Amino acid sequence: MSLGTLCGGLYWRLVLFDASDFEHDETTRAVSERWRHVEAFAVLALLIGGVGSVATGAAGRPLDPGEVAVGFGVALSPFLWVVLGRYSGDEWSQTSAYVRWLFFATVLGSLVGFVWTETGGHPFEQAVRFGHVGSFALWIGGASWHNFVVLPTLRAHPDAADEIKAGARRFRRHLPVVIAVFLATGVYQAVRLLGYSASVPVGTAAGRLVAVKFAVLALLTGLVAINLRRARKRGGPSE
């Protein structure tokens, strides 16, 4: 969750959010401050969860390459977050952008390491798993931006509604691909883990968990589809 929030959120911050959309510096500062708070919680969760995961998973044996990558990201992310705090008054400087890209690369490297550890280094399984956790990262990071940055800023600065929604529209274009990749890779992993038997979803604990996950995914996908349809009918961006 913490890796996904940081990775997907930083992708939005670097690729989808355009400060030049805004006419007022106070709005861009509000966006930056709200995202900074989300980052703080995600970095703390990554530090706690990452240390615990690496420590318990590697107890009594050497670290594998994936655990080294995760550990590197866990150690470096808090440092980079603190460094970014020094540019709070110069948020859009070139140096700040370089540090933020380094932050994103570090978190992405940890995500790749997490995938490596789970799959044992098999190329195809790695690709499938990375597609699954990567699409999840974009989804959860985008949801964090939308719920904790976009909507509060929109309420506080209604005069900047068009500019704020422009970033939401950019993310909305990603959603069909994100959902498709997440669903396809999830189905493949579920079949590989549980097989094709129709009794598996109710006959095993793992099957019931997978069934619940697919039900949640179907519900969320339906809500997204309804939201997109309403937005197209209104001729404007979804809130």
Side-chain angles (χ1 to χ4, degrees):
M1 288 291 290
S2 56
L3 273 176
T5 299
L6 282 174
C7 198
L10 284 167
Y11 175 82
W12 184 313
R13 174 66 179 76
L14 289 164
V15 178
L16 302 178
F17 180 77
D18 187 355
S20 65
D21 287 342
F22 298 94
E23 297 180 1
H24 305 290
D25 289 341
E26 61 194 45
T27 308
T28 58
R29 280 196 298 269
V31 169
S32 298
E33 289 171 3
R34 287 188 171 92
W35 172 241
R36 179 88 177 151
H37 293 155
V38 176
E39 275 184 337
F41 283 108
V43 167
L44 180 60
L46 177 62
L47 183 62
I48 295 172
V51 169
S53 177
V54 172
T56 56
R61 62 172 176 78
L63 294 173
D64 67 29
E67 289 167 334
V68 171
V70 172
F72 181 77
V74 169
L76 190 57
S77 292
F79 171 75
L80 292 174
W81 184 78
V82 170
V83 170
L84 279 173
R86 299 188 61 181
Y87 295 97
S88 58
D90 192 15
E91 176 70 17
W92 312 107
S93 71
Q94 194 67 37
T95 304
S96 175
Y98 288 148
V99 175
R100 189 166 281 108
W101 275 107
L102 179 59
F103 193 7
F104 176 67
T106 299
V107 175
L108 183 62
S110 289
L111 199 67
V112 172
F114 174 74
V115 169
W116 178 285
T117 299
E118 285 199 319
T119 57
H122 189 280
F124 181 73
E125 297 299 329
Q126 275 188 329
V128 171
R129 188 62 180 159
F130 182 76
H132 194 65
V133 299
S135 57
F136 171 77
L138 288 177
W139 198 340
I140 193 67
S144 298
W145 257 91
H146 186 267
N147 293 324
F148 302 120
V149 178
V150 171
L151 292 183
T153 305
L154 190 59
R155 295 186 188 106
H157 301 273
D159 56 318
D162 291 340
E163 294 85 352
I164 292 171
K165 290 180 180 179
R169 281 196 299 269
R170 296 182 195 112
F171 176 71
R172 198 176 67 200
R173 297 188 193 107
H174 286 59
L175 275 179
V177 175
V178 168
I179 293 173
V181 171
F182 189 69
L183 179 60
T185 53
V187 169
Y188 171 83
Q189 291 175 117
V191 170
R192 181 171 172 79
L193 175 66
L194 303 173
Y196 295 94
S197 174
S199 63
V200 166
V202 295
T204 65
R208 288 190 290 272
L209 176 61
V210 169
V212 169
K213 290 174 68 176
F214 274 111
V216 172
L217 176 61
L219 175 62
L220 293 175
T221 303
L223 292 174
V224 169
I226 292 171
N227 202 19
L228 292 177
R229 186 175 180 180
R230 288 177 177 173
R232 291 192 184 100
K233 285 183 176 180
R234 290 195 303 264
S238 167
E239 294 184 7

